[in-house]
Amino acid sequence: MNDFEAQLNHMLVETFNTILKYEEVSLNSILDVPVTIAEAHMIEAVGAHENNKATVSAVASQLKVSMPTATVALKKLESKGFIAKVPCMEDGRRAIVRLTDAGMRINRAHQQFHKRMVRNISRQLDGAEKGALLIALTKLSDFFKEKIDA
């Protein structure tokens, strides 16, 4: 690895880990129940569907995880009282998942965290830096999406 690649690797790993830790600390300070980042993202995926109703397969697809992974995670969230499962009226083999009041509260806190984080980062940058950051992050995101979709 040349110097640039070593620095880039360090910054990517450090930034990724720091964002996750910051998100976890922030959520746990807002909420009176401990929620992992994976749980918060699963809750977000359920809440993102129209009328707060999603299928397990839709959540799995949205998060790019396997059906068994989504099923296990959603069962855990159900046992914690964050989601509820009901049989699908059109297809009894499928279940509809929706957020409970507790799940909606976690989802709102998670959304609020992201708004504050982005706002605070944005305030640290001037116009040129914002443009450069968006260009670089778009290229970075496209690179990783391409690797996943390949």
Side-chain angles (χ1 to χ4, degrees), residues 81-135:
F82 300 145
I83 68 157
K85 282 186 188 177
V86 295
C88 178
M89 298 302 261
E90 295 83 31
D91 183 352
R93 298 168 295 175
R94 297 170 58 196
I96 300 295
V97 291
R98 65 169 185 77
L99 297 179
T100 61
D101 288 343
M104 285 189 266
R105 194 166 63 74
I106 290 167
N107 197 34
R108 281 191 302 273
H110 188 222
Q111 290 172 348
Q112 189 64 32
F113 162 79
H114 279 277
K115 285 179 187 176
R116 286 182 188 156
M117 177 184 66
V118 170
R119 187 178 304 127
N120 289 333
I121 292 169
S122 181
R123 288 180 181 156
Q124 303 295 313
L125 305 172
D126 65 28
E129 290 170 326
K130 288 176 186 177
L133 181 60
L134 288 178
I135 289 168

Side-chain angles (χ1 to χ4, degrees), residues 3-150:
D3 284 344
F4 172 78
E5 291 169 346
Q7 288 177 3
L8 178 61
N9 180 64
H10 173 76
M11 290 308 302
L12 287 173
V13 171
E14 184 176 290
T15 301
F16 177 78
N17 290 331
T18 304
I19 290 170
L20 289 178
K21 187 62 181 173
Y22 175 51
E23 189 170 10
E24 179 182 344
V25 168
S26 295
L27 278 177
N28 288 326
S29 73
I30 295 169
L31 301 166
D32 57 348
V33 292
V35 177
T36 68
I37 298 310
E39 290 171 338
H41 290 158
M42 188 68 65
I43 288 168
E44 178 182 44
V46 172
H49 287 83
E50 189 176 333
N51 298 324
N52 187 26
K53 294 178 181 176
T55 62
V56 176
S57 61
V59 171
S61 176
Q62 182 176 344
L63 294 175
K64 296 183 180 5
V65 298
S66 69
M67 280 288 291
T69 297
T71 300
V72 169
L74 290 168
K75 281 183 182 179
K76 186 175 180 183
L77 291 175
E78 184 178 28
S79 72
K80 289 183 171 190
F82 300 145
I83 68 157
K85 282 186 188 177
V86 295
C88 178
M89 298 302 261
E90 295 83 31
D91 183 352
R93 298 168 295 175
R94 297 170 58 196
I96 300 295
V97 291
R98 65 169 185 77
L99 297 179
T100 61
D101 288 343
M104 285 189 266
R105 194 166 63 74
I106 290 167
N107 197 34
R108 281 191 302 273
H110 188 222
Q111 290 172 348
Q112 189 64 32
F113 162 79
H114 279 277
K115 285 179 187 176
R116 286 182 188 156
M117 177 184 66
V118 170
R119 187 178 304 127
N120 289 333
I121 292 169
S122 181
R123 288 180 181 156
Q124 303 295 313
L125 305 172
D126 65 28
E129 290 170 326
K130 288 176 186 177
L133 181 60
L134 288 178
I135 289 168
L137 288 176
T138 298
K139 288 182 179 183
L140 189 64
S141 178
D142 290 346
F143 170 83
F144 286 112
K145 285 177 187 172
E146 181 181 302
K147 296 302 178 191
I148 290 172
D149 294 337

